[in-house]
C-alpha cells in the first residue's frame, strides 16, 4: 500500500515537459504547473504563449512565480523517496551494453522499455508511467526502445519524420512536403510501412530459396567429388594390378601413372573446395540477410523499417550457380598411355590387359532387352522378336497412346530400371545416323524436345556417317575410330553414371557422371529416317559375347 501511495504521489509531482519531479514549480493562469526552467524554455521557442497541457493561449507572457507550497511538498517527497526502497528494483535492471538506457534516470541508468517519438526520449518503467496515465501524454507515439532518437527529427525543420517521399525514397517531415519535396509523391510512414511489409515475406522466401539452391549445389559438388574419387580409386587399383605383374624395370612407369591420376584428383578436389567455400560464404551472407529480414518483419518502428526495406529487398549480388559444376576428369587411356611407353612386346601385352578390363567389368551386368511397340513412332518397323528397329517409308495408322512418341522416330525398351546397374549392346553397323542411350520414363513424347540431360536424356549419336557427339548440356564432339559397329551402354543408377563403349576395341567412348535420375530409366533408341536407303540398316540389340 505504501508503494502504491508513492506512485500516486509521484504522479502529482511530475512536470509534463521534462517528466521528472518538479524543480522550482510555477503555476500558470490556467492552473497547470511546470518546472520554471521547462515552461520558460517552451515559451522561448513557441509563440504564441500556450499551455503545453490544456493548450489555453495567453495574450501576454504570464509572470512566473514559484509556488512555495508545491515546492515544499516536492522537497518532502524527495526526502521520503531517498529513504524508501526502489519499488521497481525487482522488476527492472540496469541497462547492459547494447541495450537502450532510460534518458531520465541518473546513474545507474535503467533499461528503457519504450521510446517516445514525440518527446524524443527513452523511458524505463518508472519514468514511463506518465505516458500511461496522463491524458495528454497518452496520445504520444511509443515504440520499442531505440537509440539516437534525434535521427527521427528533420534537421532542417526540427520536426518528426512522419512522411515518406516515394519520389526520393526518403523519410521527411510534414514541413518538407511544402518546401524541398513539394509536388512529390508522399505518404504517411505508417501507410508506407503497411504497403511494404507484405513484400518482405516475398524477399524472405527468395532468400531462403537462394540458400536452399546453394546447399543443393554443395551436395551436387560433393557427390561429384565422391564419384571422381571412386573412379580414381578404381583406376589406381587397376593400374597397380597391371604393373605389379610386370618386371621391376617398369616400376617407374607405375609411379608416373599413379602421380598423374592423383594430380587430376587433387585438381578436382581443389576446384570443388573453392566452389564450396564460395557457396558457404554466400550462404552465410544470405543467412545474415534472412535474420535481418525476420527482425525487420516484426519491427514496429516505421522509420527504421522503411529505411532498411530497400536495402533488404534488393537481391544480393551473387554468382549464378545453375551451370557451375565440377566435372571429374576422365581416366580412360591413362593406363594405356603409360604402358605404351614400355618396350614393344610389353606394350602390346599391357594394352590387351587394360582395354578389356573395364568393359569386362560392366558386361557382367547384361540385361535381356526387347523393344516396346506401344512407344514406337508410327514409321518405325520392329522385328517380331523385338530386338531390331529401322525406319520405314510409310507412316502406319496406330493408336495415339500416351506412351507413344509422335514427334521424333524414337522407341523405348520394354524394361525399366530404378536402381542397380545394367548393361546392353546394340549393333550400329551400316548406319549413317543413330542415337542411343537411356532416358527418363517421364520425358515429353509428344512434342519437340532437345535430347539433353536437363530434359531427361543421356545419349550419344552419329550424324552424316562421321560426326560422333555426346548430347550433354552442350554437344561434346567424340573421338571415335571409324568402323564403329557395336556400342555397349552401361548404367549405374545409384552412382549416377552412364557410360558408352566401343565393344569391338574395348574402348570407353564417353561417360555422363554425377547424373540425377529421380525417375525410372528406359533404354532409348532412335534409328533416324532411312534417307532414301542410305540409313536403312536396323539398330539391333545383341547378346554380349564375353569371349
Amino acid at each position: 500500500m505504501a508503494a502504491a501511495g508513492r506512485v500516486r504521489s509521484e504522479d502529482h509531482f511530475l512536470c509534463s515537459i521534462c517528466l521528472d519531479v518538479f524543480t522550482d514549480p510555477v503555476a500558470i493562469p490556467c492552473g497547470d504547473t511546470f518546472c520554471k526552467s521547462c515552461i520558460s524554455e517552451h515559451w522561448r521557442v513557441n509563440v504564441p504563449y500556450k499551455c503545453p497541457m490544456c493548450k489555453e493561449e495567453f495574450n501576454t507572457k504570464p509572470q512566473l512565480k514559484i509556488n512555495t507550497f508545491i515546492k515544499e511538498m516536492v522537497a518532502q517527497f524527495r526526502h521520503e523517496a531517498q529513504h524508501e526502497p526502489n519499488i521497481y528494483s525487482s522488476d527492472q535492471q540496469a541497462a547492459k551494453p547494447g541495450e537502450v538506457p532510460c534518458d531520465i534516470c541518473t546513474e545507474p541508468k535503467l533499461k528503457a522499455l519504450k521510446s517516445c517519438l514525440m518527446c524524443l526520449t527513452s523511458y524505463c518503467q518508472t519514468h514511463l508511467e506518465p505516458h500511461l496515465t496522463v491524458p495528454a501524454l497518452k496520445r504520444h507515439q511509443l515504440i520499442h526502445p531505440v537509440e539516437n532518437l534525434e535521427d527521427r527529427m528533420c534537421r532542417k525543420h526540427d520536426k518528426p519524420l512522419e512522411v515518406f517521399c516515394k519520389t526520393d525514397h526518403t523519410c521527411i517531415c510534414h514541413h518538407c512536403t511544402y518546401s524541398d519535396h513539394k509536388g512529390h509523391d508522399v505518404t504517411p510512414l505508417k501507410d508506407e510501412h503497411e504497403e511494404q511489409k507484405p513484400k518482405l515475406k516475398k524477399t524472405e522466401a527468395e532468400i531462403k530459396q537462394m540458400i536452399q539452391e546453394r546447399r543443393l549445389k554443395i551436395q551436387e559438388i560433393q557427390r561429384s567429388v565422391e564419384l571422381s574419387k571412386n573412379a580414381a580409386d578404381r583406376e589406381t587399383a587397376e593400374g597397380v594390378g597391371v604393373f605389379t605383374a610386370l618386371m621391376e624395370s617398369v616400376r617407374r612407369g607405375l609411379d608416373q601413372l599413379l602421380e598423374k591420376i592423383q594430380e587430376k584428383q587433387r585438381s578436382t578436389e581443389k576446384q570443388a573446395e573453392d566452389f564450396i567455400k564460395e557457396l558457404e560464404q554466400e550462404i552465410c551472407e544470405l543467412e545474415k540477410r534472412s535474420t535481418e529480414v525476420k527482425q525487420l518483419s516484426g519491427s514496429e518502428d516505421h522509420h527504421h523499417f522503411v529505411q532498411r526495406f530497400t536495402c533488404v529487398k534488393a537481391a544480393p549480388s551473387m554468382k549464378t550457380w545453375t551451370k557451375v559444376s565440377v566435372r571429374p576428369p576422365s581416366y580412360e587411356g591413362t593406363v594405356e598411355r603409360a604402358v605404351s611407353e614400355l618396350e614393344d612386346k610389353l606394350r602390346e601385352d599391357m594394352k590387351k590387359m587394360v582395354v578389356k578390363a573395364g568393359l569386362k567389368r560392366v558386361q557382367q551386368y547384361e540385361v535381356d532387352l526387347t523393344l516396346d511397340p506401344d512407344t514406337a513412332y508410327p514409321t518405325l518397323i520392329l522385328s517380331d522378336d523385338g530386338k531390331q528397329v529401322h525406319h520405314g517409308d510409310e507412316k502406319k495408322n496406330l493408336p495415339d497412346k500416351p506412351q507413344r512418341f509422335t514427334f521424333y522416330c524414337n522407341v523405348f525398351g520394354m524394361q525399366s530400371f530404378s536402381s542397380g546397374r545394367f548393361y546392353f549392346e546394340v549393333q550400329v553397323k551400316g548406319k549413317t545416323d543413330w542415337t542411343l542411350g537411356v532416358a527418363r520414363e517421364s520425358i515429353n513424347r509428344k512434342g519437340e524436345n532437345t535430347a539433353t540431360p536437363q530434359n531427361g536424356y543421356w545419349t550419344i549419336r552419329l550424324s552424316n556417317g562421321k560426326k560422333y557427339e555426346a548430347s550433354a548440356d552442350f554437344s561434346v564432339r567424340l573421338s571415335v575410330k571409324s568402323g564403329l559397329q557395336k556400342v555397349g551402354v552401361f548404367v549405374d543408377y545409384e552412382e549416377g553414371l552412364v557410360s558408352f563403349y566401343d565393344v569391338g576395341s574395348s574402348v570407353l567412348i564417353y561417360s555422363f557422371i554425377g547424373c540425377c535420375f529421380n525417375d525410372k530409366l528406359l533404354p532409348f533408341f532412335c534409328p533416324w529416317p532411312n534417307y532414301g536407303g542410305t540409313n536403312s540398316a536396323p539398330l539391333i540389340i545383341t547378346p554380349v559375347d564375353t569371349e
Side-chain angles (χ1 to χ4, degrees):
M1 293 297 294
R6 180 183 165 198
V7 172
R8 289 193 294 273
S9 299
E10 185 175 16
D11 288 345
H12 295 140
F13 299 123
L14 289 180
C15 171
S16 60
I17 296 178
C18 68
L19 303 181
D20 206 349
V21 179
F22 290 125
T23 301
D24 294 334
V26 295
I28 61 177
C30 65
D32 290 316
T33 303
F34 306 93
C35 297
K36 182 177 182 180
S37 60
C38 291
I39 191 64
S40 297
E41 178 64 17
H42 178 77
W43 282 341
R44 186 182 69 81
V45 298
N46 293 277
V47 178
Y49 304 114
K50 181 187 295 186
C51 174
M53 290 292 291
C54 66
K55 308 302 180 183
E56 181 178 345
E57 294 187 11
F58 312 110
N59 295 328
T60 59
K61 181 178 180 180
Q63 289 187 347
L64 301 177
K65 295 183 179 181
I66 296 177
N67 188 321
T68 56
F69 175 74
I70 295 180
K71 184 175 181 180
E72 291 176 359
M73 293 291 291
V74 170
Q76 181 180 356
F77 170 77
R78 290 182 184 275
H79 176 75
E80 293 175 353
Q82 290 177 354
H83 294 83
E84 289 184 7
N86 187 347
I87 63 173
Y88 296 109
S89 59
S90 61
D91 298 326
Q92 298 190 89
Q93 298 178 351
K96 300 177 182 178
E99 295 179 337
V100 179
C102 174
D103 293 327
I104 308 302
C105 289
T106 57
E107 297 297 335
K109 287 184 174 291
L110 298 181
K111 176 182 176 182
L113 295 183
K114 294 288 184 180
S115 295
C116 178
L117 293 179
M118 302 295 289
C119 304
L120 295 181
T121 306
S122 297
Y123 302 104
C124 64
Q125 181 175 337
T126 301
H127 294 111
L128 181 64
E129 187 69 23
H131 275 75
L132 304 178
T133 58
V134 178
L137 297 179
K138 289 171 69 175
R139 293 194 294 268
H140 288 193
Q141 184 177 358
L142 299 176
I143 62 172
H144 290 302
V146 295
E147 295 182 313
N148 304 321
L149 282 168
E150 60 274 8
D151 292 341
R152 310 301 175 96
M153 297 291 289
C154 176
R155 298 185 184 277
K156 184 174 182 179
H157 301 107
D158 199 30
K159 297 295 181 182
L161 300 175
E162 299 177 329
V163 181
F164 180 72
C165 177
K166 292 188 175 183
T167 304
D168 295 334
H169 299 283
T170 187
C171 297
I172 61 176
C173 71
H174 283 290
H175 287 270
C176 290
T177 62
Y178 303 106
S179 56
D180 297 345
H181 298 265
K182 185 176 181 180
H184 290 190
D185 183 10
V186 298
T187 184
L189 272 179
K190 182 177 181 181
D191 293 347
E192 184 67 14
H193 171 268
E194 294 302 320
E195 179 182 342
Q196 292 183 0
K197 191 170 183 179
K199 300 177 183 178
L200 204 61
K201 293 183 179 180
K202 180 180 179 181
T203 300
E204 181 180 11
E206 290 174 349
I207 291 175
K208 288 182 178 179
Q209 179 64 25
M210 293 176 71
I211 293 174
Q212 182 63 19
E213 289 173 354
R214 280 151 181 76
R215 284 175 173 162
L216 291 175
K217 180 58 68 172
I218 288 178
Q219 294 177 3
E220 177 187 332
I221 292 174
Q222 289 174 335
R223 181 171 176 80
S224 297
V225 172
E226 181 182 357
L227 292 173
S228 175
K229 187 176 186 304
N230 291 339
D233 292 343
R234 290 193 298 266
E235 196 73 11
T236 298
E238 182 177 327
V240 171
V242 172
F243 275 85
T244 53
L246 303 176
M247 298 171 58
E248 186 62 27
S249 61
V250 301
R251 177 64 61 182
R252 288 188 301 270
L254 174 58
D255 293 340
Q256 293 173 359
L257 169 67
L258 297 180
E259 179 58 28
K260 289 179 181 178
I261 295 173
Q262 293 168 3
E263 178 59 31
K264 288 183 179 181
Q265 177 60 19
R266 285 194 296 268
S267 177
T268 301
E269 291 180 341
K270 178 62 168 58
Q271 182 186 31
E273 289 172 358
D274 292 343
F275 283 155
I276 291 174
K277 182 177 180 181
E278 189 173 354
L279 282 162
E280 289 176 339
Q281 290 174 346
E282 291 190 3
I283 288 175
C284 182
E285 179 62 28
L286 289 168
E287 287 177 337
K288 290 179 180 178
R289 183 172 287 245
S290 179
T291 300
E292 185 175 2
V293 168
K294 290 179 180 177
Q295 293 174 347
L296 194 58
S297 296
S299 174
E300 298 178 5
D301 183 348
H302 302 162
H303 176 272
H304 176 68
F305 181 96
V306 173
Q307 277 198 329
R308 293 298 304 152
F309 177 79
T310 302
C311 297
V312 173
K313 178 183 177 183
S317 177
M318 294 184 178
K319 180 186 293 186
T320 299
W321 290 91
T322 305
K323 295 185 179 180
V324 176
S325 63
V326 175
R327 184 178 295 278
S330 173
Y331 295 95
E332 187 63 29
T334 304
V335 177
E336 292 91 326
R337 286 190 295 273
V339 175
S340 68
E341 297 175 359
L342 300 178
E343 297 179 5
D344 291 344
K345 186 178 182 305
L346 291 177
R347 182 187 301 117
E348 292 302 320
D349 292 342
M350 184 79 86
K351 185 176 181 179
K352 292 178 181 179
M353 294 172 62
V354 174
V355 296
K356 291 183 179 180
L359 181 58
K360 287 188 176 297
R361 282 200 305 268
V362 300
Q363 284 179 328
Q364 62 181 309
Y365 299 105
E366 178 189 9
V367 292
D368 184 17
L369 295 183
T370 54
L371 301 171
D372 185 355
D374 289 338
T375 67
Y377 185 74
T379 59
L380 296 183
I381 299 175
L382 278 58
S383 62
D384 293 339
D385 62 359
K387 299 291 186 180
Q388 301 184 30
V389 58
H390 68 276
H391 186 272
D393 294 324
E394 183 179 350
K395 188 173 184 179
K396 299 184 290 293
N397 185 18
L398 299 175
D400 185 12
K401 297 182 178 181
Q403 63 268 40
R404 188 179 303 283
F405 288 97
T406 57
F407 196 88
Y408 294 112
C409 54
N410 304 331
V411 61
F412 268 143
M414 184 78 73
Q415 294 75 15
S416 63
F417 303 88
S418 57
S419 63
R421 302 169 181 173
F422 62 94
Y423 173 85
F424 60 94
E425 293 181 352
V426 181
Q427 180 178 303
V428 296
K429 180 180 179 180
K431 295 192 65 62
T432 61
D433 297 82
W434 51 261
T435 301
L436 288 175
V438 293
R440 289 196 185 105
E441 185 180 45
S442 59
I443 63 171
N444 177 18
R445 309 186 193 191
K446 302 299 182 181
E448 187 174 1
N449 197 7
T450 305
T452 64
Q454 184 177 2
N455 291 330
Y457 297 80
W458 292 268
T459 61
I460 63 172
R461 65 176 179 265
L462 169 65
S463 57
N464 299 322
K466 56 183 179 181
K467 185 179 180 182
Y468 292 92
E469 293 177 303
S471 301
D473 292 332
F474 51 90
S475 294
V476 178
R477 190 70 179 267
L478 303 177
S479 178
V480 178
K481 293 182 179 180
S482 60
L484 177 61
Q485 297 186 5
K486 188 179 293 186
V487 176
V489 182
F490 172 72
V491 176
D492 188 327
Y493 194 98
E494 281 72 23
E495 290 293 328
L497 175 68
V498 181
S499 296
F500 298 86
Y501 292 87
D502 177 351
V503 177
S505 59
S506 301
V507 171
L508 177 66
I509 299 174
Y510 186 79
S511 287
F512 293 93
I513 59 178
C515 307
C516 185
F517 301 127
N518 296 329
D519 196 357
K520 289 182 179 179
L521 291 182
L522 293 165
F524 177 84
F525 307 84
C526 178
W528 286 69
N530 59 30
Y531 298 124
T534 60
N535 190 41
S536 60
L539 292 174
I540 305 175
I541 302 172
T542 63
V544 172
D545 183 4
T546 57
E547 294 300 325

